[in-house]
């Protein structure tokens, strides 16, 4: 799982909740909160490695959902 894949998965999930803003604004917001995304990415990357798991297209949204939800709460807060 690359960081870029994780970032895109977070963006996809977050945009479902914040669909009233343009994509470029969403990306700007995500980059301003990148520490949240990187923290979640690092956590899941470590868990995948420790548990010798394989990340698939189906499992990636599950990993990204926590970061997307956190960003949503920060945006709405």
């Amino acid at each position: 799982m690359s960081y870029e894949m994780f970032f895109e998965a977070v963006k996809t999930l977050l945009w479902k909740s914040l669909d009233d803003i343009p994509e470029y604004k969403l990306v700007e917001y995500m980059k301003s909160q990148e520490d949240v995304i990187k923290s979640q990415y690092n956590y899941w990357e470590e868990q995948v490695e420790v548990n010798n798991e394989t990340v698939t297209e189906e499992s990636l949204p599950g990993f990204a959902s926590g970061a997307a939800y956190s960003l949503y709460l920060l945006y709405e807060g």
Side-chain angles (χ1 to χ4, degrees), residues 5-72:
M5 290 171 55
F6 188 80
F7 187 92
E8 286 301 314
V10 171
K11 183 175 91 173
T12 299
L13 292 170
L14 184 58
W15 207 5
K16 288 178 182 178
S17 300
L18 301 177
D19 61 353
D20 60 328
I21 64 174
E23 183 178 10
Y24 78 94
K25 286 278 192 191
L26 180 68
V27 172
E28 284 178 4
Y29 168 66
M30 289 176 66
K31 288 188 177 188
S32 75
Q33 299 294 327
E34 202 159 23
D35 58 326
V36 173
I37 301 168
K38 284 184 177 180
S39 173
Q40 285 288 307
Y41 172 75
N42 291 336
Y43 171 78
W44 284 116
E45 183 181 45
E46 183 179 311
Q47 292 303 308
V48 165
E49 187 176 310
V50 166
N51 296 315
N52 198 26
E53 296 178 8
T54 301
V55 178
T56 64
E57 280 190 44
E58 292 80 25
S59 66
L60 190 55
F63 294 121
S65 64
Y69 186 64
S70 295
L71 291 177
Y72 171 76

